[in-house]
Structure formats: C-alpha cells, structure tokens
Amino acid sequence: MFNAPDKPEGHEDRSEEIQALLDQPLRKLADDAAGAGWSMYEVLNAMEELVQNYRLAHAIDPDPAEDPDNENSEQSADRLVEGFIDGRDLGP
C-alpha cells in the first residue's frame, strides 16, 4: 500500500513525505465517517485521541511483534494505556 521513504531518516523533508503519503487515506477515512453521520468535529477528535493512544502504546512497547507472547503483550499494553488515561498503575 505504501512505498518506502525516498529520504533517509533525519532528512528535513521526510516528515512532508509521509504526510503526503497519509493525507488522502486519512481524508477518505474522515469523509467516510462524516458521510455515515458523524460530525467532522467528532471524527477529528477521535483521530487525535487515537494518535495519542498509539503514541503511548508505542512508548511502552515500540515493537510488540517481537514480544514472545504477542497476545498477552497487546493486552498488557492496552491495560497500561487504559491505566495511564485513568491515572492508575496497571503494569504487569
């Protein structure tokens, strides 16, 4: 679905490259949700929350596919994110 980056990591234009790559799929996703009855405000807020949650999960476990028991790792990461959001410590 996506091409590999043209620019090396750290290149000043690399961020623009991935933004251009993600722009149309994200717009389509947002437009489809809005077309189904969600307000664009709700859609964009949901996208922002999802990005924040992805950042938290990535900070906790940058590569969950490398974990020995992937199902439990995903559940643990989910629990940690939920705990962070709720202000509780739900570590393993």
Side-chain angles (χ1 to χ4, degrees):
M1 178 175 186
F2 295 109
N3 296 327
D6 291 331
K7 315 235 178 341
E9 241 181 280
H11 190 281
E12 63 185 28
D13 295 333
R14 189 168 160 120
S15 177
E16 291 175 11
E17 184 179 346
I18 188 63
Q19 286 178 38
L21 190 65
L22 294 174
D23 185 51
Q24 287 305 313
L26 282 175
R27 284 179 189 261
K28 180 171 179 5
L29 183 65
D31 289 344
D32 288 351
W38 297 95
S39 74
M40 190 56 74
Y41 180 80
E42 291 172 309
V43 172
L44 295 175
N45 280 342
M47 287 180 163
E48 285 180 24
E49 287 186 43
L50 286 168
V51 168
Q52 289 174 359
N53 290 341
Y54 292 157
R55 282 185 191 273
L56 288 172
H58 181 73
I60 293 166
D61 191 355
D63 195 353
E66 291 182 354
D67 294 344
D69 186 359
N70 197 23
E71 283 188 32
N72 288 337
S73 297
E74 288 177 14
Q75 291 171 356
S76 292
D78 289 344
R79 288 185 66 232
L80 287 171
V81 170
E82 289 171 11
F84 180 83
I85 292 168
D86 293 340
R88 295 175 289 153
D89 181 10
L90 298 177

